[in-house]
Amino acid sequence: MTNLDSDGVPSPSRLEGKYQAMVVCWFLGLGSLVSWNTMLTIGDYYYNLFPPSYHPARVLTLVYQPFALGTMLILAYNEAKIDTRKRNLIGYIIFFFSTLGLLVLDLGSSGKGGIGNYIGICVFVAAFGVADAHVQGGMVGDLSFMRPEFVQSFFAGLAASGALTSGLRMITKAAFDKSNNGLRKGAMLFLAISTFFEFLCIFLYAFIFGKLPIVKYYRTKAASEGSKTVSADLAAAGIHTEETASNDIAKHERLSNKQLLFQNLDYALDLYLIYVLTLSIFPGFLYENTGSHQLGSWYPVVLIAMYNVLDLIGRYTPLIKSIKIESRKGLLIASFSRFLLIPAFYFTAKYGDQGWMILLVSFLGLTNGHLTVCVLTAAPKGYKAPEQNALGNLLVLFLLGGIFSGVALDWLWIIGNGKF
């Protein structure tokens, strides 16, 4: 039986496919960051391959972020005119070929270092940044006018990519630790797995996600509210939007990006603060400033793993209503209060033992995941679909801006310790 909602758009009496959509969103989130997390997780391989003066963890992150932020700035400005289907598929395809390119580059050079290979890696990492802006902004904008659970699942998938790669890294490190070229074998396995996941995401988005009844319902509803970004996805699902378009121009009026930003400036600031703090510590500080990093050491691998696992847990804790922060003032206070972690990390690295450092890293990951989901599920409420899509893109822009600023500030740890 089919009912009509308040806009006259057909809606199923039960929104079939909710849980399937959540699973697909999880995998799409995983695919949007698994390639980059692979690069972070195999950082010890690159520290073995290149001289320490190359600072792989810091340089690769610094290469990645300007391309992500610059591309996102262009896409956010033009989001209302951009076909979401093409945008997301282009992003996942770039991820696939870039990850495959890293694998081919290493195989072609037989695992040798040198400035040429380092530049080649940087080029592929820059492509990751371009792909990230396409996928993360496109998916968050698309999911923002659906259900909050879809946004939560997508961001849980993002964090799961880190937890998955960290877990596999510990297994491969144990398996290959005593073998010849053990680090390289583990790195190759990681890149192959990441390439597979990127291909899986292309398939899931192109042929599965858009055909789920609940997704078709929300996209049809978005089209009825004036959204132009969903047309290609609806057409791929066999739905033509021309008939659902209304002649009521006032109904399709939406707030401008500037108006949306001013109404949600606190949410944008929350995300900026969350990620500027996190990326000023993770991953560069954990690899180079924890005081116990030695080539082949388990310590930085464990620190990265603890961050990723607790970040993943933090993406699910907002499902517990009693601890979910919905107050706008509460989110702002929580985001600012995390800056107390900077002196905590400094003094722990200088005077504390490894147990305290692991505890701090775990808290950093937990709060990062929890606050991210709290902000991104609260912000879109109360807006029409085209406004929710635009707001999602704006918030991702500030998130990436925070990451870029954090990566730049991360270098201050080197300058402060005279290690440049």
Side-chain angles (χ1 to χ4, degrees):
M1 177 179 177
T2 301
N3 297 326
L4 296 177
D5 66 12
S6 59
D7 294 317
V9 178
S11 63
S13 55
R14 287 192 313 235
L15 296 178
E16 297 94 346
K18 174 185 172 183
Y19 295 106
Q20 294 94 315
M22 289 174 67
V23 171
V24 174
C25 286
W26 191 90
F27 276 104
L28 292 174
L30 184 145
S32 69
L33 209 56
V34 69
S35 295
W36 174 239
N37 271 319
T38 293
M39 296 297 292
L40 297 181
T41 307
I42 64 175
D44 51 350
Y45 171 59
Y46 288 125
Y47 275 95
N48 181 49
L49 197 61
F50 301 107
S53 59
Y54 281 31
H55 300 293
R58 286 185 162 105
V59 170
L60 294 180
T61 308
L62 196 59
V63 168
Y64 178 93
Q65 294 307 329
F67 283 91
L69 182 59
T71 305
M72 189 64 222
L73 190 62
I74 296 169
L75 294 174
Y77 182 78
N78 297 288
E79 58 79 26
K81 307 171 188 174
I82 296 174
D83 182 331
T84 300
R85 182 176 179 81
K86 289 180 181 176
R87 173 179 176 173
N88 288 332
L89 285 175
I90 286 171
Y92 284 118
I93 289 169
I94 293 174
F95 270 132
F96 171 76
F97 281 108
S98 299
T99 311
L100 182 63
L102 283 170
L103 188 60
V104 172
L105 178 66
D106 196 274
L107 291 172
S109 65
S110 300
K112 295 179 181 177
I115 189 65
N117 282 349
Y118 194 65
I119 292 172
I121 291 170
C122 288
V123 170
F124 286 121
V125 167
F128 285 169
V130 174
D132 184 19
H134 276 79
V135 169
Q136 197 164 165
M139 286 301 303
V140 172
D142 204 25
L143 299 178
S144 290
F145 58 73
M146 298 186 194
R147 298 182 69 91
E149 296 96 323
F150 294 176
V151 176
Q152 183 273 327
S153 290
F154 179 79
F155 276 92
L158 283 171
S161 66
L164 174 67
T165 53
S166 291
L168 288 173
R169 181 68 194 96
M170 297 181 79
I171 293 170
T172 56
K173 187 171 177 63
F176 299 131
D177 204 27
K178 303 299 181 183
S179 66
N180 292 329
N181 293 321
L183 282 174
R184 181 168 181 252
K185 290 175 183 177
M188 294 300 95
L189 179 61
F190 269 86
L191 291 172
I193 292 171
S194 295
T195 303
F196 166 76
F197 276 120
E198 299 302 350
F199 180 79
L200 177 63
C201 287
I202 295 170
F203 175 80
L204 288 174
Y205 189 86
F207 301 108
I208 303 296
F209 186 62
K211 295 182 180 179
L212 295 172
I214 192 169
V215 176
K216 288 194 286 187
Y217 162 70
Y218 281 113
R219 283 178 171 164
T220 304
K221 190 171 185 294
S224 75
E225 294 176 351
S227 177
K228 301 286 193 294
T229 62
V230 296
S231 301
D233 277 310
L234 286 174
I239 299 173
H240 298 285
T241 58
E242 290 81 8
E243 297 177 3
T244 66
S246 171
N247 294 323
D248 184 2
I249 298 175
K251 182 180 177 181
H252 290 173
E253 286 183 353
R254 50 153 282 189
L255 297 174
S256 67
N257 285 359
K258 184 177 180 181
Q259 290 172 314
L260 285 168
L261 181 58
F262 277 117
Q263 289 184 12
N264 295 275
L265 200 55
D266 56 331
Y267 286 132
L269 182 59
D270 289 337
L271 287 172
Y272 179 84
L273 293 173
I274 291 166
Y275 282 88
V276 74
L277 183 279
T278 297
L279 270 292
S280 67
I281 297 170
F282 176 89
F285 176 88
L286 302 185
Y287 267 111
E288 298 186 12
N289 296 84
T290 49
S292 298
H293 174 63
Q294 297 175 349
L295 191 60
S297 170
W298 278 87
Y299 187 39
V301 176
V302 170
L303 290 178
I304 298 295
M306 289 305 298
Y307 170 85
N308 284 322
V309 169
L310 269 295
D311 185 35
L312 173 60
I313 293 172
R315 310 283 170 131
Y316 285 99
T317 51
L319 296 176
I320 305 171
K321 297 296 183 183
S322 59
I323 61 173
K324 182 178 181 181
I325 305 175
E326 296 184 283
S327 162
R328 299 177 78 145
K329 186 181 292 185
L331 285 168
L332 201 57
I333 292 171
S335 300
F336 270 110
S337 65
R338 291 177 81 238
F339 280 83
L340 294 172
L341 288 170
I342 292 177
F345 270 97
Y346 175 80
F347 287 110
T348 302
K350 204 168 182 68
Y351 305 110
D353 59 25
Q354 294 180 355
W356 285 108
M357 183 60 72
I358 291 172
L359 180 64
L360 278 179
V361 168
S362 300
F363 185 74
L364 179 73
L366 183 68
T367 54
N368 185 83
H370 184 82
L371 292 174
T372 297
V373 171
C374 286
V375 172
L376 286 165
T377 53
K381 292 179 180 178
Y383 291 104
K384 294 190 293 186
E387 295 165 343
Q388 291 170 321
N389 183 51
L391 180 57
N393 277 269
L394 289 171
L395 292 177
V396 170
L397 177 62
F398 274 82
L399 184 155
L400 292 176
I403 292 175
F404 177 73
S405 299
V407 168
L409 291 171
D410 181 46
W411 287 83
L412 294 177
W413 295 105
I414 295 181
I415 298 171
N417 287 326
K419 286 184 170 183
F420 217 129

